[in-house]
Amino acid sequence: MNYFANPYQGYGSPYGYPSAAPQGAAGALQAFGGQVTRVNGRNGADAFRMAPNSSILLMDENDPIVWLKQTDGAGYATVTPYTVTPYQAAAPVDVAGLENRVKRLEGMLSGKPDDADAPGKRKQKAE
């Protein structure tokens, strides 16, 4: 057998048989290039061409929206918008202030007068 005349050479199999996944076909796995695909609104997302049975996230250029475009086996597309907002870290919790508020609330529920603002009330009465 002439090894160099093998039509399956270069398909990744040392025995000359084609691999399980099609190479270069429409359904083949593609390497992730690390790129963000940007479109202009709904019309741009609708116009983006895709192979059947695939999906992609498309970043909108104008609005904080990400479009999820999916195609079925016949190539019919469904486009779903998702809003995107910048992440904001939650404010740190002031544990000491929280403890004071709970103690004051417990005092109010037990029937004791609320003396937390007593110095402020005395100043108002003195004026």
Side-chain angles (χ1 to χ4, degrees):
M1 178 172 163
N2 188 350
Y3 183 75
F4 295 105
N6 186 349
Y8 299 112
Q9 181 180 358
Y11 276 71
S13 173
Y15 303 109
Y17 298 108
S19 62
Q23 301 278 331
L29 296 176
Q30 297 176 357
F32 177 67
Q35 298 177 358
V36 176
T37 305
R38 298 178 184 269
V39 294
N40 286 319
R42 173 78 183 221
N43 292 337
D46 286 336
F48 189 83
R49 311 270 292 155
M50 293 175 54
N53 292 324
S54 58
S55 63
I56 189 168
L57 286 175
L58 304 167
M59 182 74 98
D60 198 312
E61 287 277 347
N62 304 320
D63 296 314
I65 295 175
V66 172
W67 301 94
L68 172 63
K69 184 168 185 176
Q70 299 173 314
T71 56
D72 61 7
Y76 292 104
T78 303
V79 179
T80 309
Y82 292 92
T83 57
V84 178
T85 57
Y87 173 75
Q88 294 181 352
V93 177
D94 180 24
V95 178
L98 197 59
E99 286 179 11
N100 291 338
R101 290 175 61 189
V102 169
K103 286 180 185 177
R104 207 169 120 208
L105 183 60
E106 288 173 346
M108 289 170 60
L109 291 175
S110 66
K112 295 180 184 176
D114 183 17
D115 292 345
D117 261 350
K121 290 178 183 176
R122 287 184 200 136
K123 286 181 186 176
Q124 287 177 355
K125 289 179 182 177
E127 292 176 356

